[in-house]
Amino acid sequence: MAELKQRLRADLNDAMRARDQVRLRTLRMALTSITNEEVAGTSARDLTDDEVIKVLTREARKRREAAEAFSAAGRSDQAAAERAEGEVLAGYLPAQLSDDELTALVEGAITETGASSMAGMGPVMKLVTPRVAGRADGGRVAAEVRRRLSS
């Protein structure tokens, strides 16, 4: 079993003992998503830590998008709850890349692929995406690639 999944289960037990409802709700949701991912497909399997991080990243993105939607709809209480869940999930994800680190990765990929226009965006994204895995949002990466290729 993945170390991260074991840590999530241990933290779930701690949250139950501490009666921390936000953490409890968030960890249950995360573990359910992980279990769903494990049983999806033709046969059940255990996820690796990298795959667990992908699931947690997807869940964190859902929380961020939901918080934005609730804020836009004027439901600040629900938006705050979504943000709180996102913060709990962020504690299990790798540190996000700074703008300078992301720029350096994108420039390296552009140099490697020899891309000089927007037509080269696909190969650059294909090269950069695995390198940033979980450390930068895909939209942020795409925006940086666009910015570099259009200038």
Side-chain angles (χ1 to χ4, degrees):
M1 183 184 304
E3 283 183 38
L4 186 53
K5 185 175 173 185
Q6 288 176 335
R7 190 172 128 212
L8 287 166
R9 287 190 177 172
D11 289 352
L12 176 69
N13 289 333
D14 293 342
M16 281 185 206
R17 285 186 202 102
R19 300 186 192 281
D20 183 346
Q21 293 303 311
V22 173
R23 191 168 198 76
L24 182 64
R25 177 178 64 234
T26 304
L27 293 176
R28 279 184 176 153
M29 172 273 311
L31 286 166
T32 299
S33 296
I34 291 167
T35 302
N36 288 342
E37 189 74 22
E38 288 176 334
V39 298
T42 56
S43 63
R45 62 191 173 86
D46 282 337
L47 298 181
T48 64
D49 276 343
D50 289 340
E51 291 170 322
V52 171
I53 287 173
K54 286 180 184 176
V55 172
L56 293 178
T57 301
R58 184 174 57 230
E59 292 300 323
R61 185 181 68 242
K62 286 179 186 177
R63 298 298 159 272
R64 196 170 41 251
E65 290 170 356
E68 290 169 8
F70 284 125
S71 290
R75 298 193 52 197
S76 58
D77 55 335
Q78 193 66 33
E82 294 290 338
R83 281 191 203 96
E85 289 181 9
E87 288 172 16
V88 171
L89 291 173
Y92 297 95
L93 297 173
Q96 294 292 299
L97 290 172
S98 70
D99 290 339
D100 294 338
E101 292 169 324
L102 181 59
T103 299
L105 281 171
V106 168
E107 286 175 354
I110 289 172
T111 303
E112 276 184 59
T113 60
S116 58
S117 68
M118 287 301 291
M121 184 167 175
V124 172
M125 286 297 293
K126 190 173 184 179
L127 199 60
V128 172
T129 302
R131 293 179 184 175
V132 300
R135 299 183 299 153
D137 183 54
R140 188 172 152 223
V141 174
E144 182 62 25
V145 171
R146 264 190 229 101
R147 191 172 71 81
R148 290 286 166 198
L149 289 176
S150 64
S151 59

